[in-house]
């Protein structure tokens, strides 16, 4: 029998053989470069290579998104961060000052975003000038709506919303407020422990598809077992896992650098930057039971999924005015969107959503389960104990949910000649557009930052 030491040597050799970079510069230490050992070759369930995505994103997409997302239309996100957790008593929280969200002052919100119509002011009859008042009785149209009719319309809207949407939206009603995303960047806040772990456990164990013949209290599915699931189930897991990986990269890339110049979590003037040890802790094979590199691969999968959704929604986005009340900025935003879409359309190997949910009643049932699982995940975001983490969790899950709506609701589909089946069905609310573009912005940033960590390791 082999000794323990021999087994260790063989295991190390296998890891070295799987990963790139070790043989080019053998004289240097690359003990943790194995975080990136799966980041080559074709992306699972897709036709393009990781190197292609790296080049396309880092050179063409990332810089365009960085300049677009600082525009007023995309920096103000309306959200309700005060809804109670619907699944358990929320005993978690974050006492750090960096968990706090800065809300917008009324005068800071662009005037165009304040002008949202409501039933109360839209349905009032307004008399014209005196010369017209003489004859207003003849042409009077009663535009008032009864309370019961209003209630019925709200029920119909909620029903339609439930049919099409993959996420629970909370940008209307009491508690919804505008947040300036530039004043509340996503970064490490110190939020951790059982409260944070319970959120992700609930997402993976109760709201992700899992191999039917096995069940484990480990929330993560080993990459080797994904082949025991159907395409749609694998896609769901990879999308959620890729989003999780992206969030972990953000927290590692903007980590509070305690120990540098005496800074700590309690310091009011925190300084953030990349923390290599934190990145290794979250993704190295040694600390993730060998799965960390696979989670990074899933980041590329969800990136391609959301990129395809934006390409599919291009006709709608091209005719959107992106109105904020500032004519000059609105024009710049519209031109920046057109430029971004022109680049995205030229990407040769988009994710192909037409391979999913095909054919049978069983496929429709699976799509319904797919949608319900993801709607639950958006509700779990109300259980995040750190306000800033809750903000970015809500925005990114809504962005992914909007992408799933575009890909699978049927409202954005084309016929065989490349024409939209029904242009009137293609609709997105402002918050959906804002979350979709910010979500792809976060994924794009994660892929860009991966290259920084790769260079730091080497």
């Amino acid at each position: 029998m082999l000794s323990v030491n021999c087994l260790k040597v063989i295991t190390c050799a296998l890891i070295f053989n799987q990963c790139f970079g070790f043989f080019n510069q053998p004289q240097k230490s690359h003990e943790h470069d194995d975080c990136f050992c799966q980041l080559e070759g074709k992306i699972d369930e897709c036709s393009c290579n990781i190197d292609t995505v790296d080049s396309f994103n880092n050179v063409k997409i990332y810089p365009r998104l960085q300049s677009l997302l600082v525009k007023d239309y995309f920096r103000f996100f309306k959200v309700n961060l005060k809804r109670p957790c619907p699944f358990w008593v929320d005993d978690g929280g974050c006492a750090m000052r960096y968990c706090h969200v800065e809300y917008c002052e009324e005068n800071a919100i662009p005037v165009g975003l304040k002008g949202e119509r409501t039933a109360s002011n839209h349905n009032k009859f307004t008399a014209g000038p005196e010369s017209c008042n003489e004859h207003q009785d003849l042409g009077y149209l009663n535009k008032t709506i009864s309370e019961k009719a209003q209630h019925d319309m709200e029920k119909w809207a909620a029903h339609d919303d439930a049919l099409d949407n993959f996420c629970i939206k909370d940008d209307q009603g009491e508690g919804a407020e505008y947040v300036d995303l530039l004043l509340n960047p996503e970064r490490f806040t110190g939020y951790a422990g059982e409260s944070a772990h319970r959120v992700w456990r609930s997402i993976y164990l109760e709201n992700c598809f899992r191999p039917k013949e096995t069940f484990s209290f480990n929330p993560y599915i080993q990459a080797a077992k994904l082949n025991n699931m159907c395409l749609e189930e694998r896609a769901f897991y990879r999308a959620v896992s890729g989003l999780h990986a992206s969030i972990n990269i953000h927290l590692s890339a903007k980590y509070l650098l305690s120990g540098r110049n005496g800074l700590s979590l309690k310091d009011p003037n925190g300084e953030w930057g990349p923390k290599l040890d934190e990145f290794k802790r979250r993704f190295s094979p040694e600390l993730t039971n060998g799965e960390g590199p696979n989670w990074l691969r899933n980041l590329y999968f969800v990136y391609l999924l959301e990129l395809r959704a934006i390409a599919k929604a291009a006709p709608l986005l091209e005719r959107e005015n992106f109105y904020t009340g500032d004519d000059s900025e609105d024009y710049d935003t519209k031109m920046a969107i057109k430029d971004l879409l022109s680049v995205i359309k030229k990407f040769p190997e988009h994710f192909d959503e037409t391979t999913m949910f095909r054919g049978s009643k069983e496929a429709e049932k699976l799509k319904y389960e797919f949608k319900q699982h993801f709607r639950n995940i958006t509700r779990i975001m109300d259980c995040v104990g750190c306000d800033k983490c809750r903000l970015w969790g809500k925005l990114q899950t809504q962005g992914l949910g909007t992408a799933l709506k575009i890909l699978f609701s049927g409202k954005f589909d084309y016929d065989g000649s490349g024409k939209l089946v029904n242009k009137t069905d293609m609709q997105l609310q402002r918050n959906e557009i804002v979350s979709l573009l910010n979500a792809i912005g976060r994924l794009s940033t994660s892929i860009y930052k991966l290259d920084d960590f790769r260079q730091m390791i080497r």
Side-chain angles (χ1 to χ4, degrees), residues 423-434:
K423 286 187 177 181
T424 59
D425 284 343
M426 182 183 276
Q427 297 179 12
L428 291 175
Q429 296 177 1
R430 177 186 173 274
N431 243 35
E432 291 177 305
I433 296 174
V434 171

Side-chain angles (χ1 to χ4, degrees), residues 348-368:
E349 298 173 293
H350 277 293
F351 175 80
D352 183 7
E353 75 282 2
T354 62
T355 61
M356 297 173 61
F357 304 114
R358 297 177 66 179
S360 64
K361 290 183 179 179
E362 197 64 31
E364 285 302 312
K365 179 183 175 183
L366 184 60
K367 184 190 288 189
Y368 176 80

Side-chain angles (χ1 to χ4, degrees), residues 12-176:
C12 290
L14 288 173
I15 292 175
F16 270 61
N17 280 323
Q18 288 174 353
C19 307
F20 67 88
F22 291 96
F23 304 107
N24 295 332
Q25 295 175 308
Q27 74 277 15
K28 293 185 180 180
S29 173
H30 294 290
E31 59 178 310
H32 291 292
D33 204 20
D34 48 351
C35 290
F36 298 95
C37 64
Q38 294 294 329
L39 294 191
E40 57 184 351
K42 285 195 173 183
I43 299 166
D44 304 286
E45 323 298 351
C46 303
S47 60
C48 66
N49 291 330
I50 283 178
D51 287 347
T52 303
V53 175
D54 279 336
S55 175
F56 178 74
N57 176 73
N58 296 352
V59 175
K60 296 183 177 181
I61 298 298
Y62 175 77
R64 284 175 166 85
L65 285 171
Q66 291 303 296
S67 61
L68 174 67
L69 296 177
V70 298
K71 302 291 187 185
D72 282 353
Y73 186 89
F74 292 104
R75 68 183 283 188
F76 291 97
F77 181 61
K78 197 171 187 181
V79 63
N80 187 346
L81 299 176
K82 299 172 184 176
R83 293 172 62 176
C85 174
F87 299 110
W88 57 76
V89 177
D90 186 11
D91 55 0
C94 182
M96 305 300 177
R97 59 176 281 111
Y98 305 114
C99 294
H100 177 66
V101 167
E102 299 287 344
Y103 288 96
C104 295
E105 296 291 338
E106 183 68 20
N107 59 4
I109 303 171
V111 63
L113 304 186
K114 298 178 187 178
E116 296 174 329
R117 288 182 171 182
T118 64
S120 60
N121 64 32
H122 182 55
N123 295 320
K124 288 180 180 177
F125 174 77
T126 304
E130 274 187 29
S131 58
C132 298
N133 286 345
E134 306 170 10
H135 306 289
Q136 72 177 35
D137 288 342
L138 296 176
Y140 174 72
L141 176 65
N142 188 341
K143 297 182 181 179
T144 59
I145 300 176
S146 70
E147 186 174 339
K148 181 181 183 306
Q150 185 71 41
H151 180 66
D152 289 343
M153 288 172 64
E154 289 173 357
K155 286 169 60 177
W156 298 336
H159 175 72
D160 292 342
D161 184 72
L163 289 177
D164 294 336
N165 290 317
F166 285 72
C167 52
I168 305 294
K169 294 181 289 187
D170 61 357
D171 58 324
Q172 301 296 325
E174 186 177 353

Side-chain angles (χ1 to χ4, degrees), residues 107-246:
N107 59 4
I109 303 171
V111 63
L113 304 186
K114 298 178 187 178
E116 296 174 329
R117 288 182 171 182
T118 64
S120 60
N121 64 32
H122 182 55
N123 295 320
K124 288 180 180 177
F125 174 77
T126 304
E130 274 187 29
S131 58
C132 298
N133 286 345
E134 306 170 10
H135 306 289
Q136 72 177 35
D137 288 342
L138 296 176
Y140 174 72
L141 176 65
N142 188 341
K143 297 182 181 179
T144 59
I145 300 176
S146 70
E147 186 174 339
K148 181 181 183 306
Q150 185 71 41
H151 180 66
D152 289 343
M153 288 172 64
E154 289 173 357
K155 286 169 60 177
W156 298 336
H159 175 72
D160 292 342
D161 184 72
L163 289 177
D164 294 336
N165 290 317
F166 285 72
C167 52
I168 305 294
K169 294 181 289 187
D170 61 357
D171 58 324
Q172 301 296 325
E174 186 177 353
E177 298 182 62
Y178 277 106
V179 174
D180 185 339
L181 298 175
L182 298 187
L183 295 180
N184 296 277
E186 184 183 23
R187 59 192 182 189
F188 181 80
T189 63
Y191 176 59
E194 179 55 28
S195 176
H197 294 154
R198 180 165 52 182
V199 167
W200 284 111
R201 275 202 310 271
S202 179
I203 288 173
Y204 282 112
L205 287 177
E206 299 176 34
N207 293 284
C208 263
F209 296 96
R210 306 182 69 76
K212 292 179 173 56
E213 69 277 8
T214 60
F215 180 82
S216 170
F217 287 102
N218 179 357
Y220 309 113
I221 300 174
Q222 291 180 337
K225 293 183 178 179
L226 283 175
N227 289 330
N228 296 328
M229 301 160 65
C230 70
L231 169 63
E232 291 82 359
E233 293 171 340
R234 293 197 305 269
F236 189 99
Y237 177 81
R238 286 193 168 113
V240 172
S241 173
L243 174 60
H244 191 185
S246 179

